[in-house]
Protein backbone atom coordinates (compact mmCIF):
# COMPACT_ATOMS: atom_id res chain seq x y z
CA UNK A 1 0.00 0.00 0.00
CA UNK A 2 1.38 3.41 -0.97
CA UNK A 3 2.19 5.69 1.95
CA UNK A 4 1.08 9.22 1.19
CA UNK A 5 3.79 11.75 1.93
CA UNK A 6 2.05 14.99 2.84
CA UNK A 7 3.07 18.01 0.82
CA UNK A 8 1.92 20.19 3.70
CA UNK A 9 2.79 18.21 6.83
CA UNK A 10 2.57 21.18 9.18
CA UNK A 11 -0.82 22.38 7.97
CA UNK A 12 -4.04 21.70 9.86
CA UNK A 13 -7.53 23.17 9.62
CA UNK A 14 -7.51 26.94 9.04
CA UNK A 15 -8.16 29.25 11.94
CA UNK A 16 -11.16 30.70 10.07
CA UNK A 17 -12.84 27.30 9.85
CA UNK A 18 -11.97 26.55 13.47
CA UNK A 19 -13.28 29.81 14.90
CA UNK A 20 -16.42 29.89 12.73
CA UNK A 21 -17.12 26.29 13.83
CA UNK A 22 -16.74 27.28 17.49
CA UNK A 23 -18.92 30.34 16.93
CA UNK A 24 -21.72 28.12 15.61
CA UNK A 25 -21.26 25.58 18.40
CA UNK A 26 -21.45 28.20 21.16
CA UNK A 27 -23.95 30.47 19.36
CA UNK A 28 -21.39 33.25 19.59
CA UNK A 29 -21.48 36.54 17.70
CA UNK A 30 -18.96 35.91 14.94
CA UNK A 31 -16.45 38.75 14.58
CA UNK A 32 -13.83 36.21 13.52
CA UNK A 33 -13.87 35.07 9.89
CA UNK A 34 -13.96 38.04 7.52
CA UNK A 35 -17.38 38.13 5.90
CA UNK A 36 -20.18 40.71 6.06
CA UNK A 37 -23.44 39.72 7.77
CA UNK A 38 -25.42 42.45 6.00
CA UNK A 39 -27.09 41.65 2.68
CA UNK A 40 -25.39 42.28 -0.64
CA UNK A 41 -27.00 44.59 -3.18
CA UNK A 42 -30.19 43.03 -4.58
CA UNK A 43 -29.55 44.63 -7.97
CA UNK A 44 -26.49 42.44 -8.46
CA UNK A 45 -28.48 39.37 -7.44
CA UNK A 46 -31.08 40.39 -10.07
CA UNK A 47 -28.40 40.93 -12.72
CA UNK A 48 -26.99 37.44 -12.14
CA UNK A 49 -30.48 35.90 -12.04
CA UNK A 50 -31.28 37.65 -15.32
CA UNK A 51 -28.06 36.28 -16.84
CA UNK A 52 -29.14 32.75 -15.87
CA UNK A 53 -32.64 33.30 -17.26
CA UNK A 54 -31.12 34.57 -20.50
CA UNK A 55 -29.19 31.31 -20.63
CA UNK A 56 -25.67 32.49 -19.95
CA UNK A 57 -25.18 29.08 -18.40
CA UNK A 58 -22.40 27.41 -20.37
CA UNK A 59 -18.62 27.70 -20.02
CA UNK A 60 -17.25 31.20 -20.15
CA UNK A 61 -14.04 31.63 -22.16
CA UNK A 62 -10.97 30.38 -20.25
CA UNK A 63 -9.60 33.87 -19.38
CA UNK A 64 -13.07 35.11 -18.38
CA UNK A 65 -16.10 36.79 -19.94
CA UNK A 66 -14.57 39.37 -22.29
CA UNK A 67 -17.03 42.23 -21.53
CA UNK A 68 -16.14 41.79 -17.84
CA UNK A 69 -12.43 42.01 -18.57
CA UNK A 70 -13.09 45.10 -20.68
CA UNK A 71 -15.06 46.70 -17.84
CA UNK A 72 -12.21 45.89 -15.42
CA UNK A 73 -9.65 47.45 -17.77
CA UNK A 74 -11.76 50.61 -17.87
CA UNK A 75 -12.02 50.62 -14.09
CA UNK A 76 -8.26 50.20 -13.69
CA UNK A 77 -7.68 53.05 -16.17
CA UNK A 78 -10.01 55.44 -14.38
CA UNK A 79 -8.90 54.57 -10.84
CA UNK A 80 -5.18 53.98 -11.31
CA UNK A 81 -4.30 55.30 -14.77
CA UNK A 82 -3.36 51.79 -15.88
CA UNK A 83 -3.46 50.96 -19.56
CA UNK A 84 -4.43 47.28 -19.70
CA UNK A 85 -5.24 44.90 -22.52
CA UNK A 86 -8.31 42.95 -21.43
CA UNK A 87 -7.48 40.12 -23.77
CA UNK A 88 -3.94 39.47 -22.59
CA UNK A 89 -3.54 40.97 -19.11
CA UNK A 90 -6.68 40.18 -17.09
CA UNK A 91 -7.81 36.71 -16.03
CA UNK A 92 -11.00 36.00 -14.08
CA UNK A 93 -10.41 33.48 -11.28
CA UNK A 94 -12.47 31.64 -8.68
CA UNK A 95 -11.52 34.10 -5.93
CA UNK A 96 -8.49 36.08 -4.83
CA UNK A 97 -6.89 33.19 -2.96
CA UNK A 98 -6.84 31.11 -6.15
CA UNK A 99 -5.33 34.03 -8.07
CA UNK A 100 -2.48 34.25 -5.52
CA UNK A 101 -1.96 30.47 -5.54
CA UNK A 102 -1.91 30.38 -9.33
CA UNK A 103 0.53 33.29 -9.54
CA UNK A 104 2.89 31.57 -7.09
CA UNK A 105 2.59 28.24 -8.91
CA UNK A 106 3.31 30.02 -12.20
CA UNK A 107 6.62 31.49 -11.04
CA UNK A 108 8.02 29.10 -8.42
CA UNK A 109 10.43 26.22 -8.77
CA UNK A 110 11.68 24.06 -5.89
CA UNK A 111 14.23 25.92 -3.77
CA UNK A 112 13.09 29.41 -4.77
CA UNK A 113 12.59 31.85 -1.92
CA UNK A 114 9.64 34.19 -1.43
CA UNK A 115 9.62 37.05 1.05
CA UNK A 116 6.48 37.00 3.20
CA UNK A 117 5.75 39.80 5.67
CA UNK A 118 4.27 38.58 8.95
CA UNK A 119 1.59 38.60 10.23
CA UNK A 120 0.45 37.19 6.89
CA UNK A 121 -2.80 35.93 5.42
CA UNK A 122 -2.83 32.21 6.05
CA UNK A 123 -2.76 30.90 2.49
CA UNK A 124 0.56 32.45 1.41
CA UNK A 125 3.02 30.12 3.13
CA UNK A 126 1.27 26.84 2.22
CA UNK A 127 0.92 28.12 -1.37
CA UNK A 128 4.70 28.61 -1.48
CA UNK A 129 5.55 25.32 0.23
CA UNK A 130 3.28 23.19 -1.92
CA UNK A 131 5.45 24.36 -4.83
CA UNK A 132 8.62 23.16 -3.08
CA UNK A 133 9.69 26.77 -2.53
CA UNK A 134 10.79 28.42 0.71
CA UNK A 135 9.00 31.24 2.54
CA UNK A 136 11.42 33.78 4.03
CA UNK A 137 9.53 35.38 6.88
CA UNK A 138 10.07 39.04 7.73
CA UNK A 139 8.11 40.57 10.62
CA UNK A 140 6.30 43.87 10.14
CA UNK A 141 7.24 46.62 12.60
CA UNK A 142 5.56 45.86 15.92
CA UNK A 143 4.19 49.30 16.77
CA UNK A 144 2.27 50.11 13.57
CA UNK A 145 2.67 47.04 11.34
CA UNK A 146 4.54 49.05 8.73
CA UNK A 147 7.07 47.26 6.51
CA UNK A 148 10.51 46.88 8.06
CA UNK A 149 12.42 47.62 4.84
CA UNK A 150 15.94 47.16 6.27
CA UNK A 151 14.83 43.66 7.34
CA UNK A 152 13.35 43.01 3.88
CA UNK A 153 16.59 44.07 2.20
CA UNK A 154 18.53 41.82 4.59
CA UNK A 155 16.28 38.87 3.69
CA UNK A 156 17.09 39.01 -0.02
CA UNK A 157 19.30 36.22 -1.34
CA UNK A 158 20.30 35.12 -4.86
CA UNK A 159 17.37 32.65 -4.64
CA UNK A 160 14.73 35.30 -3.88
CA UNK A 161 12.08 34.99 -6.57
CA UNK A 162 9.28 37.20 -5.27
CA UNK A 163 7.80 39.27 -2.50
CA UNK A 164 4.16 39.14 -1.43
CA UNK A 165 2.54 42.44 -0.51
CA UNK A 166 -0.93 42.93 0.92
CA UNK A 167 -2.45 46.39 1.25
CA UNK A 168 -4.84 47.12 2.88
CA UNK A 169 -3.52 44.43 5.14
CA UNK A 170 -5.18 41.43 6.72
CA UNK A 171 -5.08 41.06 9.73
CA UNK A 172 -3.78 44.49 10.83
CA UNK A 173 -5.51 47.07 8.60
CA UNK A 174 -2.14 48.69 7.80
CA UNK A 175 -1.75 50.26 4.34
CA UNK A 176 1.29 50.91 2.17
CA UNK A 177 2.35 54.55 1.67
CA UNK A 178 4.41 56.45 -0.88
CA UNK A 179 7.66 55.72 0.97
CA UNK A 180 6.97 51.97 0.69
CA UNK A 181 6.77 52.33 -3.07
CA UNK A 182 10.17 54.07 -3.04
CA UNK A 183 11.61 51.20 -0.98
CA UNK A 184 10.04 48.61 -3.25
CA UNK A 185 11.68 50.29 -6.22
CA UNK A 186 15.04 50.10 -4.43
CA UNK A 187 14.46 46.41 -3.80
CA UNK A 188 13.70 45.53 -7.41
CA UNK A 189 16.64 47.61 -8.63
CA UNK A 190 18.87 45.36 -6.49
CA UNK A 191 17.32 42.09 -7.60
CA UNK A 192 15.03 41.09 -10.43
CA UNK A 193 12.07 39.73 -8.45
CA UNK A 194 8.35 39.33 -9.00
CA UNK A 195 5.70 41.07 -6.92
CA UNK A 196 2.54 39.27 -5.84
CA UNK A 197 0.24 42.08 -4.74
CA UNK A 198 -2.83 41.03 -2.79
CA UNK A 199 -5.21 43.96 -3.20
CA UNK A 200 -8.51 42.30 -2.33
CA UNK A 201 -9.30 45.21 0.04
CA UNK A 202 -8.46 47.92 -2.53
CA UNK A 203 -11.64 49.93 -1.83
CA UNK A 204 -11.69 49.39 1.91
CA UNK A 205 -9.34 52.19 2.79
CA UNK A 206 -10.05 54.91 5.32
CA UNK A 207 -9.25 58.43 6.52
CA UNK A 208 -8.72 59.77 2.99
CA UNK A 209 -5.71 57.49 2.43
CA UNK A 210 -4.81 56.55 -1.14
CA UNK A 211 -4.58 52.92 -2.23
CA UNK A 212 -1.09 52.43 -3.67
CA UNK A 213 -2.06 49.79 -6.19
CA UNK A 214 0.73 48.26 -8.26
CA UNK A 215 -1.53 49.23 -11.18
CA UNK A 216 -0.44 52.86 -10.67
CA UNK A 217 3.24 52.18 -11.32
CA UNK A 218 4.20 50.80 -14.76
CA UNK A 219 7.73 49.91 -13.57
CA UNK A 220 6.28 47.80 -10.74
CA UNK A 221 3.33 46.43 -12.70
CA UNK A 222 5.69 44.98 -15.32
CA UNK A 223 6.79 42.39 -12.74
CA UNK A 224 3.53 42.04 -10.78
CA UNK A 225 0.61 39.70 -10.41
CA UNK A 226 -2.10 41.90 -8.87
CA UNK A 227 -4.88 39.90 -7.24
CA UNK A 228 -8.46 41.05 -6.52
CA UNK A 229 -11.71 39.59 -5.16
CA UNK A 230 -15.28 40.51 -6.09
CA UNK A 231 -16.33 38.93 -2.81
CA UNK A 232 -14.85 41.86 -0.89
CA UNK A 233 -16.12 44.53 -3.27
CA UNK A 234 -19.72 43.39 -3.52
CA UNK A 235 -20.26 41.77 -0.10
CA UNK A 236 -20.55 38.29 -1.60
CA UNK A 237 -17.56 36.37 -0.22
CA UNK A 238 -19.40 33.10 -0.93
CA UNK A 239 -19.35 33.71 -4.67
CA UNK A 240 -15.58 33.10 -4.77
CA UNK A 241 -14.86 35.19 -7.83
CA UNK A 242 -11.85 37.40 -8.41
CA UNK A 243 -9.22 38.23 -10.98
CA UNK A 244 -5.52 38.59 -11.61
CA UNK A 245 -3.91 41.42 -13.56
CA UNK A 246 -0.41 40.81 -14.90
CA UNK A 247 1.58 41.79 -17.99
CA UNK A 248 0.92 39.70 -21.10
CA UNK A 249 4.02 37.49 -20.80
CA UNK A 250 3.24 36.66 -17.17
CA UNK A 251 -0.49 36.25 -17.86
CA UNK A 252 0.32 33.80 -20.65
CA UNK A 253 2.08 31.50 -18.16
CA UNK A 254 -0.54 32.14 -15.44
CA UNK A 255 -3.23 30.95 -17.83
CA UNK A 256 -1.32 27.74 -18.59
CA UNK A 257 -1.69 26.81 -14.92
CA UNK A 258 -5.24 28.16 -14.65
CA UNK A 259 -6.60 26.38 -17.72
CA UNK A 260 -5.82 22.92 -16.38
CA UNK A 261 -6.99 23.66 -12.88
CA UNK A 262 -10.24 25.55 -13.04
CA UNK A 263 -10.39 26.39 -16.76
CA UNK A 264 -13.15 29.00 -16.43
CA UNK A 265 -15.39 30.55 -13.78
CA UNK A 266 -19.13 30.80 -13.10
CA UNK A 267 -20.59 32.46 -16.19
CA UNK A 268 -23.80 34.12 -14.89
CA UNK A 269 -21.88 35.90 -12.10
CA UNK A 270 -19.44 37.30 -14.63
CA UNK A 271 -22.25 38.53 -16.89
CA UNK A 272 -24.12 40.09 -13.94
CA UNK A 273 -21.04 41.78 -12.49
CA UNK A 274 -20.21 43.27 -15.91
CA UNK A 275 -23.53 45.12 -15.83
CA UNK A 276 -23.18 46.11 -12.18
CA UNK A 277 -19.65 47.51 -12.61
CA UNK A 278 -21.14 50.39 -14.58
CA UNK A 279 -22.32 51.84 -11.27
CA UNK A 280 -19.06 53.35 -10.03
CA UNK A 281 -20.64 54.58 -6.80
CA UNK A 282 -21.12 50.98 -5.70
CA UNK A 283 -17.40 50.59 -5.15
CA UNK A 284 -16.38 54.22 -4.69
CA UNK A 285 -18.52 54.62 -1.55
CA UNK A 286 -17.26 51.39 0.05
CA UNK A 287 -14.42 52.98 1.99
CA UNK A 288 -16.73 55.52 3.63
CA UNK A 289 -19.29 52.82 4.43
CA UNK A 290 -16.74 50.57 6.11
CA UNK A 291 -14.99 53.49 7.81
CA UNK A 292 -18.29 54.30 9.54
CA UNK A 293 -18.41 50.71 10.78
CA UNK A 294 -14.81 50.89 11.99
CA UNK A 295 -15.52 54.14 13.83
CA UNK A 296 -18.68 52.80 15.39
CA UNK A 297 -16.81 49.72 16.57
CA UNK A 298 -13.99 51.84 18.04
CA UNK A 299 -16.55 53.99 19.86
CA UNK A 300 -18.39 50.98 21.27
CA UNK A 301 -15.15 49.29 22.33
CA UNK A 302 -14.27 52.27 24.56
CA UNK A 303 -16.54 50.66 27.13
CA UNK A 304 -14.45 47.51 27.27
CA UNK A 305 -11.00 46.62 28.57
CA UNK A 306 -9.59 46.07 25.07
CA UNK A 307 -7.03 48.44 23.62
CA UNK A 308 -7.53 48.87 19.90
CA UNK A 309 -4.68 49.32 17.44
CA UNK A 310 -4.97 51.53 14.35
CA UNK A 311 -6.75 50.21 11.26
CA UNK A 312 -6.54 52.23 8.04
CA UNK A 313 -8.24 49.68 5.82
CA UNK A 314 -9.65 46.15 5.30
CA UNK A 315 -12.46 44.54 7.32
CA UNK A 316 -10.30 44.23 10.41
CA UNK A 317 -8.92 45.87 13.51
CA UNK A 318 -6.64 44.29 16.12
CA UNK A 319 -6.93 44.75 19.86
CA UNK A 320 -4.77 43.99 22.88
CA UNK A 321 -6.36 42.52 26.01
CA UNK A 322 -3.61 42.99 28.60
CA UNK A 323 -6.07 44.55 31.08
CA UNK A 324 -8.31 41.49 30.90
CA UNK A 325 -6.08 38.44 30.73
CA UNK A 326 -2.53 37.20 30.29
CA UNK A 327 -3.57 34.01 28.49
CA UNK A 328 -2.15 33.03 25.11
CA UNK A 329 -4.18 34.71 22.37
CA UNK A 330 -5.48 31.39 21.01
CA UNK A 331 -6.60 30.23 24.48
CA UNK A 332 -8.17 33.59 25.16
CA UNK A 333 -10.00 33.59 21.80
CA UNK A 334 -11.45 30.14 22.49
CA UNK A 335 -12.51 31.11 26.01
CA UNK A 336 -14.04 34.34 24.71
CA UNK A 337 -16.11 32.35 22.23
CA UNK A 338 -17.27 29.83 24.82
CA UNK A 339 -17.79 32.07 27.82
CA UNK A 340 -18.50 35.55 26.46
CA UNK A 341 -20.12 34.41 23.19
CA UNK A 342 -17.91 36.44 20.87
CA UNK A 343 -15.68 34.82 18.23
CA UNK A 344 -12.49 36.55 17.06
CA UNK A 345 -9.25 35.43 15.40
CA UNK A 346 -6.03 35.16 17.46
CA UNK A 347 -3.32 37.06 15.59
CA UNK A 348 -0.75 34.31 16.35
CA UNK A 349 -2.49 32.30 13.61
CA UNK A 350 -0.92 34.67 11.09
CA UNK A 351 2.63 33.80 12.22
CA UNK A 352 4.31 30.56 11.20
CA UNK A 353 5.89 30.17 14.65
CA UNK A 354 2.60 31.09 16.35
CA UNK A 355 4.22 34.16 17.96
CA UNK A 356 1.83 35.41 20.62
CA UNK A 357 1.48 39.19 20.49
CA UNK A 358 -1.56 39.02 22.80
CA UNK A 359 -3.70 40.44 20.03
CA UNK A 360 -7.09 39.46 18.67
CA UNK A 361 -8.42 40.39 15.23
CA UNK A 362 -12.00 41.68 15.07
CA UNK A 363 -14.03 41.88 11.84
CA UNK A 364 -16.17 45.02 11.88
CA UNK A 365 -17.88 44.38 8.50
CA UNK A 366 -21.09 43.60 10.35
CA UNK A 367 -24.55 45.06 10.92
CA UNK A 368 -24.57 47.73 13.63
CA UNK A 369 -26.73 45.54 15.85
CA UNK A 370 -24.20 42.69 15.53
CA UNK A 371 -21.36 45.01 16.60
CA UNK A 372 -23.47 46.33 19.49
CA UNK A 373 -24.42 42.85 20.66
CA UNK A 374 -20.79 41.70 20.52
CA UNK A 375 -19.45 44.69 22.42
CA UNK A 376 -22.17 44.41 25.07
CA UNK A 377 -20.87 40.91 25.74
CA UNK A 378 -17.24 42.05 25.74
CA UNK A 379 -17.98 44.90 28.14
CA UNK A 380 -19.14 42.43 30.77
CA UNK A 381 -15.73 40.75 30.96
N1 LIG B 1 -6.30 37.84 0.54
C1 LIG B 1 -6.68 38.31 1.72
C2 LIG B 1 -5.72 39.13 2.50
C3 LIG B 1 -7.95 38.03 2.21
O1 LIG B 1 -8.31 38.48 3.41
C4 LIG B 1 -8.83 37.27 1.43
C5 LIG B 1 -10.16 37.03 1.99
N2 LIG B 1 -10.72 35.89 1.92
C6 LIG B 1 -8.38 36.79 0.19
C7 LIG B 1 -7.11 37.10 -0.22
C8 LIG B 1 -9.15 35.93 -0.71
O2 LIG B 1 -10.36 36.27 -1.19
P1 LIG B 1 -11.29 35.22 -1.90
O3 LIG B 1 -12.35 34.87 -0.94
O4 LIG B 1 -11.79 35.95 -3.11
O5 LIG B 1 -10.48 34.03 -2.30
N1 LIG C 1 -10.31 36.29 4.29
C1 LIG C 1 -11.11 35.83 5.37
C2 LIG C 1 -10.49 36.26 6.68
O1 LIG C 1 -9.36 36.66 6.76
C3 LIG C 1 -11.32 34.35 5.45
C4 LIG C 1 -11.19 33.53 4.27
C5 LIG C 1 -11.23 32.08 4.64
O2 LIG C 1 -12.02 31.66 5.46
N2 LIG C 1 -10.35 31.35 4.09
O3 LIG C 1 -11.16 36.14 7.66
Amino acid sequence: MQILRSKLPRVGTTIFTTMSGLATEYKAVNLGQGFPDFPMNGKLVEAVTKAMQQDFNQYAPMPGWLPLREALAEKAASLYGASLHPDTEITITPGGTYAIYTALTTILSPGDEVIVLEPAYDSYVPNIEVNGAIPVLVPLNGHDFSVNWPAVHAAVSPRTKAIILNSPHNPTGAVLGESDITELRKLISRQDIFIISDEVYEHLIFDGKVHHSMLRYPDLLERSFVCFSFGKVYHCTGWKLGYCIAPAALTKEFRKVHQFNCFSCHTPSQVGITEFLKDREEYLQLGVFLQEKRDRFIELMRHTGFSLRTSSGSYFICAGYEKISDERDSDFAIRLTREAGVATIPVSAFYQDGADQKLLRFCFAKKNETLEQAVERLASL
Side-chain angles (χ1 to χ4, degrees):
M1 174 81 177
Q2 269 281 5
I3 304 286
L4 176 67
R5 236 202 27 240
S6 175
K7 286 193 162 180
L8 297 170
R10 293 184 307 113
V11 167
T13 308
T14 82
I15 190 69
F16 307 117
T17 307
T18 305
M19 293 311 295
S20 280
L22 273 183
T24 307
E25 188 181 341
Y26 290 96
K27 298 192 174 38
V29 182
N30 192 351
L31 302 190
Q33 194 177 23
F35 63 88
D37 71 342
F38 41 83
M40 63 176 294
N41 193 315
K43 284 190 200 150
L44 178 53
V45 176
E46 277 169 29
V48 176
T49 308
K50 197 170 104 194
M52 287 191 205
Q53 287 163 342
Q54 292 179 338
D55 210 14
F56 288 102
N57 294 312
Q58 307 310 326
Y59 290 129
M62 178 274 282
W65 180 245
L66 183 58
L68 175 56
R69 288 182 280 132
E70 286 167 348
L72 292 170
E74 267 175 50
K75 181 183 172 194
S78 76
L79 286 182
Y80 305 121
S83 168
L84 299 172
H85 297 284
D87 211 24
T88 55
E89 295 179 318
I90 306 177
T91 310
I92 309 299
T93 62
T97 312
Y98 174 103
I100 296 161
Y101 171 77
T102 306
L104 288 165
T105 302
T106 301
I107 59 171
L108 292 179
S109 301
D112 286 343
E113 294 178 358
V114 181
I115 296 177
V116 178
L117 308 175
E118 281 196 319
Y121 184 56
D122 68 340
S123 72
Y124 303 158
V125 166
N127 285 181
I128 294 164
E129 288 179 341
V130 84
N131 282 292
I134 301 157
V136 176
L137 307 168
V138 177
L140 294 170
N141 288 314
H143 59 292
D144 62 356
F145 299 112
S146 57
V147 180
N148 182 343
W149 286 105
V152 171
H153 284 283
V156 172
S157 89
R159 299 210 297 200
T160 307
K161 196 65 168 282
I163 181 168
I164 305 184
L165 298 172
N166 171 216
S167 180
H169 185 251
N170 178 5
T172 67
V175 301
L176 294 179
E178 193 63 55
S179 62
D180 295 302
I181 300 301
T182 308
E183 288 293 338
L184 190 55
R185 287 195 162 122
K186 275 192 217 156
L187 186 71
I188 59 167
S189 70
R190 266 185 65 200
Q191 181 141 333
D192 188 14
I193 59 173
F194 293 111
I195 299 167
I196 311 287
S197 188
D198 178 349
E199 303 188 11
V200 300
Y201 299 107
E202 66 176 323
H203 299 301
L204 309 182
I205 187 157
F206 315 139
D207 309 319
K209 292 205 157 83
V210 167
H211 173 51
H212 287 281
S213 174
M214 293 306 123
L215 302 183
R216 287 182 192 275
Y217 310 104
D219 58 326
L220 300 177
L221 181 56
E222 70 174 18
R223 57 185 62 250
S224 293
F225 294 84
V226 195
C227 303
F228 298 92
S229 169
F230 291 113
K232 305 287 151 141
V233 179
Y234 290 135
H235 310 312
C236 53
T237 59
W239 286 17
K240 293 300 294 187
L241 203 63
Y243 55 103
C244 178
I245 293 178
L250 303 188
T251 292
K252 189 174 165 208
E253 293 301 314
F254 180 99
R255 288 180 183 171
K256 287 185 191 174
V257 180
H258 165 66
Q259 73 178 346
F260 293 124
N261 192 5
C262 161
F263 184 71
S264 72
C265 302
H266 192 249
T267 306
S269 304
Q270 295 187 61
V271 175
I273 289 174
T274 307
E275 186 58 31
F276 201 62
L277 266 171
K278 290 183 188 146
D279 186 351
R280 288 166 50 85
E281 275 313 299
E282 268 304 314
Y283 51 82
L284 291 180
Q285 52 74 40
L286 258 181
V288 171
F289 174 67
L290 260 297
Q291 182 177 326
E292 276 170 20
K293 299 233 170 261
R294 178 205 60 177
D295 292 344
R296 188 176 193 94
F297 186 64
I298 292 174
E299 187 51 41
L300 290 165
M301 287 289 274
R302 279 190 216 290
H303 309 292
T304 71
F306 288 90
S307 43
L308 290 175
R309 307 288 289 265
T310 303
S311 167
S312 303
S314 80
Y315 277 168
F316 310 112
I317 189 163
C318 293
Y321 54 86
E322 57 284 345
K323 285 192 216 138
I324 306 171
S325 164
D326 58 6
E327 283 161 278
R328 245 194 88 73
D329 66 354
S330 45
D331 295 337
F332 185 54
I334 291 169
R335 193 164 67 80
L336 211 58
T337 313
R338 285 194 182 131
E339 293 176 15
V342 179
T344 59
I345 302 290
V347 171
S348 60
F350 299 89
Y351 289 90
Q352 287 305 302
D353 67 357
D356 180 17
Q357 319 271 322
K358 307 244 181 275
L359 283 177
L360 298 181
R361 187 196 80 174
F362 292 85
C363 173
F364 52 77
K366 302 289 172 186
K367 291 179 201 149
N368 289 344
E369 55 264 39
T370 307
L371 297 177
E372 282 156 19
Q373 195 191 7
V375 177
E376 206 173 291
R377 295 177 179 197
L378 296 174
S380 68
L381 284 171

